[in-house]
Amino acid sequence: MSRSDHASGSPAPGVPTPGRVDWGKLPEALRGRLAELAATAVGSMPAADVPVPLRRLARFTPAKRAKLGGAALTAELAASAAFRAAVVAWWEDQRPGELTTSSDDSLMAAAAAVLNDDPEAGEAVAAAARRGEASELRAERDAALSRVDKLTAELERLRGELTEARAQARTAGQQRDHEYQQLRRRVSEQGARLRAARDAQLAAEHEVEELRRSAERELAAAFAERDRERERAEAERRRADRAAAEVAAARQAAREARKADEVRLALLMDTLGGALTGLRRELAIGGGGPRPGDLVAGARAARGGSSVGTLAELDALLAVPSVHLVVDGYNVSKTGYPDLPLADQRSRLVGQLGALAARTGVEVTVVFDGAGVITAPPRGSRGVRVLFSDPGVLADDVIRDLVAAEPQGRPVVVATSDRAVVQSVRRAGAHAVPSALLLARLVR
């Protein structure tokens, strides 16, 4: 199973646009998850399904495969739709229900969409990326709150020390003045530390607020960029559709113009032919009298065509300019491959005759009996005319009519082993070739 990969512009670096996937810009967390999925499957997949560059990794443990071969695994996943399909099939067979786009784990859902070439894969990747950014922001916020908690604890500790110092000051009121001054200095120091702690707390709170506002601004910018890219892609698609329509219209116009030129040329040729015929009639050229060659004494005209008995004679006939080869279809096909069904016999014979016509430039006509043909006739190969006799008409009679329709003097070769057909076409001046001899020429 394979699907087409789609890729488009991304709303922000590392965040693919919904609906299309750019493997080069996948978030690192998602690339790691894809490598883990492929590493887990490669170990027990059939060797034929594992790309050659990854087979050496199959001997490692899944964790070691994902760590050492992560780049190779994701590269093969990006390049090979068959490998992606094999990984998906392994997970569906070995761990059904884990690799799904409905997974609560956004990374797993995005990985499933990418591996399945899901049309919504871009949105899943974008959602995973956004959730990853949100997780980073939450981690930063939690770190800031942790610092606040530490500073608060330090503040409480300092307050405790201050209370203890004041208690000591009250109990040591009778001590020497220099000890009292020392205690005052110590209290002053503790107060400074307390003020510093409060200042740090306020700074931390301010930093958390700034991070929150910055994250909101970045998310808004990302959404705006995504919308702009989507509008730009839609405009490009409309432009491509218009271009395709214009190309189709141009092609249609060209075809119509060519047909019109052909019609005009045919009319011109008909006009010239009519004018030439009228001129011949007006000048009384080409009378029905004998030709000069007919008046030569001591010679007689040959009657009837010859019977071809060797490949050399057949090749010599086929080399004559303007020769017309007429083939008795079923007589030849049943001689050459009688075990095939009639439809396959027709297709095979027409194909071989097409190859012969391409090699020699001979005009080829093959005639089949039309009685009992209920399937569509085979399409004639290039250079081969395929005919079926009408109901109640034998193919033999069609062959005789084809020979009679040719102008006197044009070389005609009839391929058949039917004696009656051979005799009649030879009397009409055509050359007869046995079916077996033509088959020998077709297979060479």
Side-chain angles (χ1 to χ4, degrees):
M1 52 183 179
S2 65
R3 299 178 176 90
S4 302
D5 292 337
H6 301 282
S8 70
S10 56
V15 182
T17 300
R20 306 178 71 186
V21 174
D22 184 346
W23 281 81
K25 296 182 179 180
L26 291 179
E28 287 301 323
L30 180 54
R31 293 175 66 87
R33 180 61 60 86
L34 289 170
E36 292 173 3
L37 294 174
T40 302
V42 161
S44 56
M45 284 171 55
D49 293 341
V50 180
V52 174
L54 303 181
R55 291 179 181 174
R56 62 182 184 84
L57 299 176
R59 300 188 301 269
F60 302 158
T61 62
K64 190 174 181 181
R65 283 196 293 268
K67 180 179 180 181
L68 299 181
L73 288 167
T74 52
E76 286 296 331
L77 287 173
S80 173
F83 182 47
R84 294 197 298 274
V87 171
V88 171
W90 184 92
W91 276 89
E92 290 179 351
D93 181 53
Q94 301 295 327
R95 298 186 183 179
E98 293 188 23
L99 183 60
T100 63
T101 56
S102 60
S103 175
D104 293 336
D105 185 349
S106 60
L107 285 179
M108 183 64 79
V114 171
L115 291 176
N116 282 286
D117 296 326
D118 194 297
E120 303 297 328
E123 294 181 359
V125 172
R130 290 194 298 270
R131 187 165 296 182
E133 292 179 354
S135 298
E136 293 178 359
L137 292 175
R138 285 195 297 270
E140 293 178 0
R141 183 199 62 190
D142 293 341
L145 292 175
S146 176
R147 289 197 299 271
V148 170
D149 292 340
K150 291 181 180 179
L151 292 174
T152 302
E154 179 68 13
L155 176 61
E156 293 299 329
R157 186 182 65 81
L158 292 176
R159 284 176 176 173
E161 291 182 359
L162 178 58
T163 301
E164 181 182 355
R166 287 175 177 174
Q168 291 176 355
R170 284 194 301 267
T171 58
Q174 296 178 356
Q175 291 182 358
R176 297 178 181 180
D177 293 339
H178 70 279
E179 292 179 353
Y180 174 73
Q181 293 300 327
Q182 290 178 353
L183 289 175
R184 288 191 62 182
R185 284 194 300 270
R186 185 175 179 182
V187 170
S188 178
E189 292 173 357
Q190 296 299 333
R193 293 175 62 184
L194 177 59
R195 287 190 297 273
R198 287 177 175 173
D199 293 342
Q201 179 182 358
L202 293 174
E205 292 175 351
H206 178 72
E207 183 180 356
V208 169
E209 183 64 21
E210 286 295 328
L211 289 174
R212 185 184 62 79
R213 287 196 292 268
S214 176
E216 291 176 351
R217 287 194 299 272
E218 290 178 359
L219 284 175
F223 286 135
E225 181 67 19
R226 180 202 62 189
D227 294 338
R228 286 194 297 272
E229 290 296 332
R230 183 179 295 168
E231 293 174 358
R232 187 157 44 246
E234 183 65 21
E236 290 296 333
R237 185 188 64 78
R238 290 194 296 269
R239 189 179 300 113
D241 292 341
R242 288 195 299 271
E246 292 173 359
V247 169
R251 289 178 177 173
Q252 181 64 25
R255 284 194 294 267
E256 293 175 355
R258 184 173 68 250
K259 289 180 180 178
D261 292 340
E262 291 175 353
V263 170
R264 287 194 293 271
L265 179 60
L267 292 175
L268 177 60
M269 293 179 66
D270 291 342
T271 302
L272 292 176
L276 180 60
T277 301
L279 182 61
R280 284 180 177 275
R281 188 182 304 111
E282 183 72 20
L283 299 178
I285 297 175
R291 297 296 180 95
D294 297 331
L295 303 177
V296 176
R300 58 184 177 87
R303 290 190 175 183
S306 64
S307 180
V308 180
T310 65
L311 287 175
E313 294 175 353
L314 176 58
D315 291 339
L317 279 175
L318 296 179
V320 175
S322 301
V323 67
H324 185 183
L325 174 62
V326 181
V327 181
D328 187 350
Y330 285 136
N331 188 278
V332 175
S333 67
K334 291 180 179 180
T335 300
Y337 12 87
D339 296 334
L340 296 178
L342 292 181
D344 294 341
Q345 291 184 23
R346 293 194 296 268
S347 298
R348 182 171 178 179
L349 178 59
V350 169
Q352 291 178 329
L353 290 173
L356 177 65
R359 291 197 307 270
T360 62
V362 173
E363 178 184 353
V364 180
T365 301
V366 57
V367 183
F368 296 100
D369 281 314
V373 178
I374 59 175
T375 58
R379 293 176 56 190
S381 298
R382 190 176 185 87
V384 178
R385 183 186 299 109
V386 181
L387 301 179
F388 286 85
S389 62
D390 292 332
V393 179
L394 297 177
D396 298 348
D397 294 332
V398 176
I399 292 173
R400 294 185 180 97
D401 292 342
L402 285 171
V403 174
E406 292 293 342
Q408 185 176 5
R410 185 186 183 185
V412 180
V413 180
V414 178
T416 182
S417 294
D418 189 314
R419 293 184 179 180
V421 177
V422 169
Q423 292 175 359
S424 59
V425 299
R426 288 187 62 187
R427 283 196 300 271
H431 303 279
V433 177
S435 297
L437 186 61
L438 177 63
L439 287 167
R441 166 53 58 221
L442 294 178
V443 300
R444 288 186 61 182

